[in-house]
């Protein structure tokens, strides 16, 4: 009995420092953002125009998809001679960003880091590749934009141009 109490005491003492070293809670993430009303056609046109301009000025042959907050396609544009897979990938990136309320790169990074992030590979119909971003206006997700056809970082640059057009 004495040994049992000594063991419990030792375990309790070892837990206290571990609790004291626990990291502070993280700042609210994008998951805390609520879904808002659907993106309007005018907003989608502004975002698409900016994304198209970014792709054109860099001579990137991409496909760009804009979804509303319910996951319905509002706009789609595929530059001439972009690879055929870009159409599906741009939509997949936008849908992933919308459903997870964060850039699709976050899932890409989680998988690349291994460990628990590998569980994402079991999720059906996601596109965990950089290039999809939520469209946020007034603190609410009104849709998402995805681009595909160039390097993933370049796809993201195209999508970011669309996001920034809504926040001007």
């Amino acid at each position: 009995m004495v040994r049992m109490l000594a063991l419990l005491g030792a375990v309790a003492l070892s837990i206290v420092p571990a609790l004291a070293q626990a990291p502070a809670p993280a700042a609210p993430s994008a998951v805390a953002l609520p879904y808002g009303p659907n993106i309007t056609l005018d907003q989608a046109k502004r975002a698409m125009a900016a994304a198209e301009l970014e792709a054109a000025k860099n001579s990137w042959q991409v496909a760009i998809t804009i979804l509303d907050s319910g996951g319905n396609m509002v706009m789609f544009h595929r530059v001439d001679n972009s690879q055929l897979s870009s159409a599906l990938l741009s939509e997949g990136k936008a849908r992933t960003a919308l459903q997870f309320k964060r850039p699709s790169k976050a899932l890409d990074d989680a998988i690349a880091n291994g460990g628990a992030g590998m569980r994402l590979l079991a999720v059906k119909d996601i596109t965990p590749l950089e290039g999809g971003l939520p469209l946020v206006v007034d603190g609410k997700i009104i849709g998402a934009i995805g681009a595909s056809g160039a390097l993933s970082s370049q796809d993201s640059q195209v999508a970011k141009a669309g996001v920034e057009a809504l926040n001007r």
Side-chain angles (χ1 to χ4, degrees):
M1 182 71 160
V2 173
R3 284 185 186 173
M4 179 73 84
L5 290 175
L7 179 61
L8 287 174
V11 169
L13 289 175
S14 68
I15 292 174
V16 172
L19 291 175
Q21 295 174 1
S29 68
V31 177
L33 291 175
Y35 291 106
N38 288 325
I39 188 171
T40 66
L41 183 58
D42 181 57
Q43 289 170 317
K45 286 179 180 179
R46 281 189 295 152
M48 182 62 81
E52 288 174 346
L53 182 63
E54 185 67 23
K57 82 176 186 184
N58 290 291
S59 300
W60 294 330
Q61 297 172 330
V62 299
I64 306 163
T65 301
I66 296 178
L67 304 176
D68 66 19
S69 58
N72 302 297
M73 188 180 296
V74 177
M75 295 193 82
F76 172 77
H77 176 89
R78 187 175 72 85
V79 174
D80 292 339
N81 296 316
S82 65
Q83 56 195 11
L84 295 176
S85 64
S86 296
L88 290 174
L89 288 171
S90 68
E91 182 180 358
K93 290 177 181 186
R95 190 165 307 286
T96 298
L98 180 67
Q99 291 174 340
F100 285 84
K101 297 183 174 184
R102 64 190 69 220
S104 57
K105 182 178 183 345
L107 281 74
D108 188 358
D109 290 344
I111 292 169
N113 289 333
M118 298 296 286
R119 294 180 293 181
L120 290 168
L121 294 174
V123 179
K124 185 177 178 186
D125 297 331
I126 64 168
T127 307
L129 302 170
E130 183 176 5
L133 297 171
L135 294 169
V136 180
V137 173
D138 296 328
K140 294 182 179 162
I141 299 171
I142 63 168
I145 185 169
S148 182
L151 298 174
S152 287
S153 60
Q154 295 167 337
D155 294 343
S156 186
Q157 186 176 329
V158 170
K160 185 176 180 189
V163 169
E164 290 173 349
L166 291 181
N167 296 313
R168 286 186 210 136

